[in-house]
Amino acid sequence: MPLPITNVTPFTLPVWVAAAARAALETLLEAEGLALPDAALKGSVEAQPLELLEPPGVELVQVEAAAALGHGQALGMARCDPGDGLDLTRGLLVWVQASWWDPAQDAEPSQRLLLDAGEGLGVRAGSRDLCLSAYARRLLEVNLLPLVPACRGLRLQLVFPRGRELAGRTSNEAFGVVDGLALIGTQAVVQRSAAPDRLDECLETLRQWPHSPHPGDLVLVIGENGLDLAPRLGLPAGLLLKAGNWLGPLIVAAAEAGVERLLLFGYHGKLIKLAGGIFHTHHHLADGRAEVLTALAALEGMGGPELERLFAAPTVEAALARLQELDGPLAARIEARLALAIETRSQAYLARYGRFPTRIGAALFDRQRQLRVAGPCGAELLEAFRHDLG
């Protein structure tokens, strides 16, 4: 009995890439008269069977088309459908060009899969390596390598025709990713950072938090990029919870769950909203970043035309860069004031809902993927989480 094609599951970008890649690989095999392994499920021009891994299980994922290109190459295409809600990848066309290469005879299985960043794929600014998560890589390996003949390697060139354009509407560059969209999903199903069902998932996680190995400690991470970066900076994975945009309710829920040391970890262009008392951070709801930064600068003594230019800066990153060029010590004082304001406003927000022993710290990073500043409590928690618990 064939698997049903799902019409309701909102898949993340790595799933659509894997579906297009498998369609290209099947076409490549057929063009050379090579059969799929007996145990492999065969795909079709409409869909490809994928082991999703997170969560486990095989589902058919729709594809747009696949075609042999000749000369040992084939192209698979899929169109991203992330489900309802605000998501710039909706309708994004994914191209994957597959071809063979000759690996060393003693190459490990994972070494037989080469991934090239084509147009629209994000790369690390320093190394120019393709920016993809461990999950995205593993999804491709598990679904493709069992189909590759033992004597061959598979090379995939990934292309997002509109990726460069869409990346300009994200904070990718803030995380050191340039030239396109990063491929950094950590599971198959889309998590809605701004939707009530995503909030419910986080609240359920916090209800179970007292049973975790470190029930008194928690790091609320803002966004998928932050979740990817946090372990690289030494924060233990077991303390991390992706918060999305619903920071206010989650701060309260964490305190109610018994969390006594809470670190807010995020990009400064996002967390700055908390300094202005905005605890749902989606830009469709409220912004205020320019106003907050300008007010903090004024409190540090800035005025006149420079203050006006600061207010008119297109992004927080650009404003802080301008401040650094103008007066490094002043910029440092403003950023320190920002981190302290985030901690102070967060504590005040929590106090509106009860008396809790929870201490809230803030740690902010910049587009170079470096910690930019931490508040007094944030610096203390960073040290404790990275060294005592790491």
Side-chain angles (χ1 to χ4, degrees), residues 88-89 92 119-123 160-175 177-182 225:
L88 59 79
T89 65
L92 175 67
E119 173 60 28
L121 262 291
V123 297
F160 298 160
R162 296 186 58 224
R164 191 183 296 265
E165 169 197 342
L166 294 176
R169 294 158 53 187
T170 74
S171 58
N172 275 5
E173 193 174 349
F175 301 93
V177 181
V178 297
D179 295 347
L181 294 173
N225 279 311

Side-chain angles (χ1 to χ4, degrees), residues 22 68 106 113 122 165 172 197 218 227 231 245 295 320 345:
R22 197 181 191 280
D106 59 349
L113 178 62
E165 169 197 342
N172 275 5
D197 57 349
L218 175 66
L227 197 63
N245 292 298
L320 292 176
R345 294 298 290 265

Side-chain angles (χ1 to χ4, degrees), residues 105-352:
Q105 289 186 351
D106 59 349
E108 295 293 327
S110 62
Q111 296 173 335
R112 295 166 57 211
L113 178 62
L114 298 182
L115 303 178
D116 297 333
E119 173 60 28
L121 262 291
V123 297
R124 303 287 182 190
S127 65
R128 307 300 297 178
D129 291 337
L130 173 62
C131 181
L132 81 165
S133 62
Y135 170 72
R137 173 84 193 194
R138 192 159 59 97
L139 189 67
L140 291 169
E141 291 176 352
V142 167
N143 285 284
L144 302 182
L145 287 178
L147 311 184
V148 177
C151 59
R152 294 187 176 181
L154 179 66
R155 181 187 295 272
L156 301 178
Q157 184 181 56
L158 313 181
V159 176
F160 298 160
R162 296 186 58 224
R164 191 183 296 265
E165 169 197 342
L166 294 176
R169 294 158 53 187
T170 74
S171 58
N172 275 5
E173 193 174 349
F175 301 93
V177 181
V178 297
D179 295 347
L181 294 173
L183 192 57
I184 58 169
T186 57
Q187 60 183 26
V189 180
V190 172
Q191 295 184 356
R192 295 288 170 218
S193 296
D197 57 349
R198 174 57 186 154
L199 174 61
D200 289 342
E201 292 172 12
C202 290
L203 292 176
E204 179 58 31
T205 299
L206 288 174
R207 280 190 282 271
Q208 304 303 318
W209 202 258
H211 306 293
S212 66
H214 301 285
D217 301 323
L218 175 66
V219 181
L220 283 180
V221 182
I222 292 77
E224 193 72 37
N225 279 311
L227 197 63
D228 180 63
L229 176 60
R232 303 184 189 192
L233 297 180
L235 291 171
L239 299 187
L240 308 181
L241 175 62
K242 180 184 173 185
N245 292 298
W246 299 82
L247 286 178
L250 293 182
I251 288 173
V252 176
E256 291 176 341
V259 172
E260 296 184 355
R261 300 192 298 182
L262 173 60
L263 179 65
L264 304 177
F265 178 77
Y267 176 53
H268 53 33
K270 196 78 164 177
L271 281 182
I272 189 174
K273 294 184 180 183
L274 275 63
I278 300 169
F279 283 85
H280 185 302
T281 59
H282 199 284
H283 65 276
H284 283 273
L285 181 68
D287 196 336
R289 289 171 291 185
E291 290 81 0
V292 170
L293 187 58
T294 305
L296 295 174
L299 289 171
E300 284 294 333
M302 178 179 280
E306 288 298 339
L307 192 62
E308 293 180 7
R309 280 191 281 271
L310 185 69
F311 181 79
T315 64
V316 171
E317 190 78 41
L320 292 176
R322 169 65 182 164
L323 276 173
Q324 188 65 39
E325 293 175 0
L326 179 69
D327 188 332
L330 174 62
R333 293 198 304 274
I334 292 173
E335 291 185 46
R337 186 182 281 269
L338 169 61
L340 177 60
I342 292 170
E343 294 184 350
T344 302
R345 294 298 290 265
S346 297
Q347 290 285 174
Y349 180 93
L350 179 60
R352 291 160 49 189

Side-chain angles (χ1 to χ4, degrees), residues 175 226 229 265-268 363-367 370-372:
F175 301 93
L229 176 60
F265 178 77
Y267 176 53
H268 53 33
L364 291 69
F365 52 87
D366 62 16
R367 66 166 49 183
Q370 300 293 323
L371 280 174
R372 184 78 176 224

